[in-house]
Amino acid sequence: MSDFRPAHLPSRSAACAAVVGAALLLSSCATAGKPAPPRPPSPAASPSPAATPLPFPALVPLPASVRVGEGAPFPVTSATTIFIQSADPRAVFAAEFLAGLLTTVGPVGPSVTRMGAAIPEGSVVLSLDGDPAAGEEAYDLNVTATGVTLKASSPAGLFYAVQTLRQILPPILEHDAARPRPIAIPQVKIADRPRFAWRGAMLDVARHFFGVEDVKRYLDLLALHKMNRLHLHLSDDQGFRIEIKSWPNLTAMGARTEVGGTVGGSYTQEQYKEIVAYARERFIDVVPEIDMPGHTNAALASYPELNCDGVAPPLYTDIKVGFSCLCVADERTYVFMDDVIREIAALTPGAFFHVGGDEVKKLADTDYAQFINRAQDIVERHGKRMIGWDEVALASLHPASVVQHWRPGTQLSKVAANGSKLIMSPANRAYLDMQYDTSSYLGLFWAGRIEIRDSYSWDPATLMEGVGEDSILGVEAPLWTETLATIREVESMAFPRLAAIAEIGWSPQAARDWDDFKLRLGGQGPRWQAMGVNFYRSPQVPWKP
Ligand code: TNX
């Protein structure tokens, strides 16, 4: 492969230039018919796209190793066959996913063939004979003039190989109204694996409710960025959002409203299962959170017996925090917790259950710690590992339990020394609900204003003294929805910052660089636009038109 060069060095090859030119031409078509951005930067503030070289390949997250070839690109037409060398349904899903992206390369898309014995030249081949030592999520992707191979040791790796290939394809393919046209894929050779096991996003469906289709949309966007956890914040003061069969009032009453007093909503258990299954197909585990003992007004309003005075408070539609608390001295509270955790755990294949534990202002530390210890026992009895926000460090945590760091400046080295792992979500870097700057009209700013460069420029392994790489399970970007009522508003806060957190979770720290990232990020613009993503056109990024 001596004709492959490291990525980002400009190519002089005519063939490559033709493809890049075609990609540019196609991506400009993709802008047609899409809604206007929420807040376009002023031309003066924006780096000129014309002056910036088009990086190839513009991949986010950056793979561990990329080499670009100089030879002729690989043509994909209706006659191309995609071979999947495995009967594993999850591997077949990855192949079908790729075929789905290529349906408009001709009058019909490429066909998918299982277990081809003799593979003709000019094929796309997915196989599971990658090196298991590289890890379950690792993959190799090779595009030459005569074929494409995607190789991994597990279906997850194949799925990530497909997502990488996807970012090399012309963005127009993502457009619902794309017309049939042949494409050609430039030569490239990629060997890749993630830095962290946990690459998460959190969606708060309690402050404003988001239905199944909205959650699936968010999952689609996570998958594109190789994220593998969706943490659903399912309950808070303003709403309880999942059906619990043994406590039906939690949703009959507790899901009626949301912030601002509009009509709320909740998932039936069948709908929750549908979300879990959709996520799982895309190699994303759903992590359910039932926040306790605080942030519980919706539950307290639904059942008087959960209140120490036996009186149910009214439903709450404002956004202040810290006023509600389950009655920790009453055994009925633990029956409630056991039922809720049991029912949700039974619907959740992932290993974790999040108990919240944040912002409890009504309890002494000892009572709080005792409560979390009991929550931990209940979670484990139902076969899961407990996660809690920063504050749960006050309890006697088992090494299998995980702490999610959120308050900037908190010291959690003792937790790490005790063997528990951490998920890093520092609010002043990773919170997607913080405003971008003073002209943002959505979002909060208690942890600061976070432009894309701020969300990118930090390393989880040097954030906290005594908490190194080995103690860190990964990163997560929480999106709280006090100010966000629609999925388009959610997208405008999540993008582009979610892509920055995805890269922190996936790419080797030594290879990460803001000046390089902003070019590759700018290259995502046409794809996101073709997908109808309502992203914030940060003036810090040279967005490709
Ligand atoms: C703090 S982060 C909270 C949430 C709010 C969020 C708003 C955390 C564990 N608690 O209840 O929604 O700030 O940014």
Side-chain angles (χ1 to χ4, degrees), residues 204 207 233 236 289 291 295 319 321 356-359 389-391 404 406-407 427 431 433-434 444 446-447 478 480-482:
D204 170 11
R207 269 55 177 271
H233 184 76
D236 212 300
E289 178 187 351
D291 206 344
H295 289 275
I319 67 169
V321 298
D358 58 313
E359 298 178 314
W389 298 104
D390 272 350
E391 290 94 327
Q404 183 165 13
W406 69 281
R407 291 174 301 180
Y431 269 31
D433 63 314
M434 291 301 117
L444 305 174
W446 66 264
W480 303 98
T481 57
E482 287 95 332

Side-chain angles (χ1 to χ4, degrees), residues 208-412:
H208 280 100
F209 181 65
F210 294 87
V212 173
E213 292 312 310
D214 286 346
V215 176
K216 286 182 177 175
R217 162 73 167 181
Y218 208 53
L219 285 163
D220 288 340
L221 297 174
L222 298 186
L224 170 63
H225 297 89
K226 303 189 180 77
M227 294 188 110
N228 63 2
R229 298 289 191 284
L230 176 65
H231 166 182
L232 280 179
H233 184 76
L234 289 165
S235 70
D236 212 300
D237 292 321
Q238 298 84 350
F240 197 100
R241 305 297 181 200
I242 180 167
E243 173 192 19
I244 302 296
K245 294 198 193 280
S246 52
W247 295 72
N249 256 3
L250 288 172
T251 45
M253 174 67 164
R256 281 188 191 167
T257 55
E258 57 182 10
V259 166
T262 32
V263 174
S266 60
Y267 308 119
T268 63
Q269 293 201 352
E270 283 308 309
Q271 288 174 323
Y272 177 78
K273 279 198 264 183
E274 187 183 335
I275 290 170
V276 165
Y278 191 87
R280 197 173 145 71
E281 277 183 327
R282 287 154 186 77
F283 300 89
I284 297 170
D285 274 351
V286 169
V287 181
E289 178 187 351
I290 298 296
D291 206 344
M292 59 184 89
H295 289 275
T296 40
N297 190 78
L300 296 169
S302 307
Y303 285 98
E305 61 265 42
L306 297 176
N307 298 269
C308 286
D309 62 3
V311 179
L315 292 170
Y316 183 73
T317 59
D318 203 344
I319 67 169
K320 287 188 263 313
V321 298
F323 61 91
S324 58
C325 196
L326 293 171
C327 190
V328 302
D330 190 326
E331 282 307 306
R332 283 177 294 188
T333 292
Y334 301 94
V335 173
F336 160 81
M337 283 159 60
D338 192 79
D339 286 337
V340 169
I341 293 171
R342 173 175 45 77
E343 289 197 29
I344 298 174
L347 306 170
T348 308
F352 292 91
F353 191 100
H354 203 307
V355 299
D358 58 313
E359 298 178 314
V360 180
K361 299 184 182 159
K362 294 272 159 89
L363 287 182
D365 282 0
T366 48
D367 292 338
Y368 171 83
Q370 239 175 39
F371 174 89
I372 297 295
N373 291 345
R374 289 190 69 172
Q376 181 173 248
D377 289 342
I378 295 171
V379 167
E380 290 179 0
R381 194 159 356 105
H382 295 300
K384 303 294 180 194
R385 292 169 63 181
M386 185 184 79
I387 309 183
W389 298 104
D390 272 350
E391 290 94 327
V392 300
L394 284 170
S396 306
L397 296 181
H398 299 159
S401 296
V402 169
V403 176
Q404 183 165 13
H405 167 55
W406 69 281
R407 291 174 301 180
T410 309
Q411 242 311 326
L412 296 168

Side-chain angles (χ1 to χ4, degrees), residues 41-52 518-519 538-543:
S42 70
S46 175
S48 157
T52 324
K518 75 177 182 198
L519 298 184
S538 165
Q540 297 182 336
V541 177
W543 298 105

